[in-house]
């Protein structure tokens, strides 16, 4: 039995959008306008959906947009929930579990991230091969709901190899360079210190960000396939002799939007 609150949210969404898509897309900072490319869009403000949390972060509109992208039916989150906003982990988990209850099989996570790997440049795209959870948090802490997934879920292949392969092919089809690497999740909202970035690099991280890993954990817990793509919007702290700003993150994500949209569409056509 799926939990009542999840079931109620899913029923509401189903009543508004009809058949559920197989893919849900989470749009990261500065990437939310990708939802403008969705055809036949039906938008549902989070506040209208029973039990859904409401987002506060800049660059995050706060609605679900259902429709078709590159001919593929999708359900997009325009605005995601971050731990740094003060949302409890349960709120970050809720949309993912609602997607699962709707029959969504694939969670496609996008984000803006800082480049830790010094061979990266702002504007690069990176597919996530794995992540490192440096937050000290886990969205599965608390009683386990056995109807959703196991108490101790396996995380050996968090990012589905078949989807990673599709992303590689899509990038090559679009003529877009696609890096691959490990994403380190810090809670934020302060950007990391140079020492933290050196630590993350030593531990094997290629990029850092304040999202994605918790959603990926929740998705794997309930058996969904996961793909993650970062837009590297800046070099992480201490690499360049300049401060990092939220404006810079938005600006680069916005500038790379056309290529990002093309890549996302091509990936959707392949999965
Ligand atoms: N650190 C954390 N999150 C981010 C960064 C960063 O440098 N850039 C974009 N999101």
């Amino acid at each position: 039995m799926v939990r009542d609150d999840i079931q109620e949210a899913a029923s509401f969404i189903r009543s508004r959008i009809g058949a559920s898509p197989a893919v849900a897309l989470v749009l990261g900072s500065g990437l939310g306008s990708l939802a403008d490319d969705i055809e036949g869009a039906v938008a549902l403000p989070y506040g209208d959906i029973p039990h859904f949390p409401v987002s506060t972060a800049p660059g995050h509109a706060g609605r679900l947009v259902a429709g078709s992208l590159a001919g593929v039916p999708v359900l997009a989150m325009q605005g995601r929930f971050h731990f740094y906003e003060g949302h409890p982990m349960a709120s970050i988990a809720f949309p993912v579990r609602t997607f699962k209850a709707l029959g969504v099989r694939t969670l496609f996570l996008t984000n803006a991230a800082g480049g830790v790997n010094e061979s990266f440049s702002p504007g690069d795209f990176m597919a996530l091969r794995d992540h490192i959870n440096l937050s000290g948090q886990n969205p599965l802490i608390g009683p386990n709901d056995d109807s959703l997934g196991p108490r101790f879920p396996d995380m050996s292949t968090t990012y589905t190899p078949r989807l990673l392969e599709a992303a590689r092919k899509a990038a090559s089809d679009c003529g877009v360079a696609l890096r691959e690497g490990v994403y380190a999740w810090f809670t934020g909202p302060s950007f990391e210190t140079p020492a933290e970035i050196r630590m993350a690099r030593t531990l094997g991280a290629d990029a850092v960000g304040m999202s994605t890993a918790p959603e990926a954990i929740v998705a794997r817990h309930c058996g969904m396939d996961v793909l993650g793509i970062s837009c590297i919007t800046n070099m992480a702290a201490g690499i360049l002799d300049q401060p990092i700003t939220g404006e810079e993150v938005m600006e680069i994500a916005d500038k790379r939007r056309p290529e990002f949209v093309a890549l996302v569409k091509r990936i959707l056509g392949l999965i």
Side-chain angles (χ1 to χ4, degrees):
M1 261 304 281
V2 178
R3 254 170 39 200
D4 286 351
D5 53 349
I6 296 172
Q7 202 57 263
E8 283 168 29
S11 299
F12 175 86
I13 295 166
R14 201 178 287 117
S15 74
R16 299 300 148 104
I17 70 167
S20 293
V23 181
L25 191 57
V26 180
L27 304 173
S29 302
L31 304 168
S33 56
L34 200 150
D36 299 344
D37 288 53
I38 294 178
E39 289 162 27
V42 176
L44 306 175
Y46 294 155
D48 292 356
I49 306 170
H51 312 290
F52 230 73
V54 177
S55 69
T56 65
H60 291 260
R63 51 192 204 150
L64 279 189
V65 183
S68 154
L69 199 54
V72 179
V74 292
L75 186 56
M77 274 184 88
Q78 195 177 26
R80 63 144 52 90
F81 303 104
H82 299 90
F83 191 64
Y84 66 73
E85 294 173 88
H87 291 293
M89 279 297 169
S91 297
I92 294 164
F94 191 82
V96 178
R97 290 174 172 162
T98 302
F99 297 152
K100 170 73 182 182
L102 281 165
V104 170
R105 283 191 300 273
T106 298
L107 187 65
F108 187 165
L109 299 163
T110 68
N111 62 54
V116 172
N117 184 323
E118 287 169 300
S119 77
F120 288 4
S121 303
D124 281 354
F125 299 129
M126 184 192 91
L128 275 67
R129 267 209 290 249
D130 205 346
H131 72 231
I132 303 174
N133 178 357
L134 291 172
S135 72
Q137 300 291 331
N138 192 297
L140 304 180
I141 289 173
N144 186 57
D145 183 340
D146 295 331
S147 72
L148 294 173
R151 169 75 292 185
F152 301 110
D154 176 54
M155 297 294 286
S156 310
T157 45
T158 306
Y159 300 89
T160 310
R162 170 181 63 80
L163 298 176
L164 189 57
E165 188 51 44
R168 285 185 194 118
K169 175 157 191 329
S172 135
D173 289 351
C174 301
V176 170
L178 182 64
R179 314 282 201 153
E180 292 179 26
V182 173
Y183 174 97
W185 172 37
F186 286 82
T187 65
S190 49
F191 286 114
E192 302 72 29
T193 64
E196 287 163 348
I197 294 303
R198 287 194 298 277
M199 172 190 76
R201 187 181 301 114
T202 303
L203 296 178
D206 297 287
V208 277
M210 305 178 192
S211 68
T212 300
E215 291 118 316
I217 292 168
V218 173
R220 290 303 299 139
H221 176 244
C222 64
M224 295 167 86
D225 289 340
V226 180
L227 173 65
I229 308 260
S230 297
C231 176
I232 304 295
T233 52
N234 56 281
M235 296 312 289
I239 296 178
L240 304 177
D241 190 17
Q242 61 187 54
I244 301 164
T245 67
E247 289 73 32
E248 169 190 19
V249 168
M250 293 298 178
E251 189 190 314
I252 298 294
D254 197 48
K255 211 164 106 189
R256 294 293 284 150
R257 192 179 99 87
E259 289 78 16
F260 201 77
V261 172
L263 178 61
V264 168
K265 284 183 172 173
R266 183 70 199 154
I267 292 172
L268 286 172
L270 293 176
I271 62 180

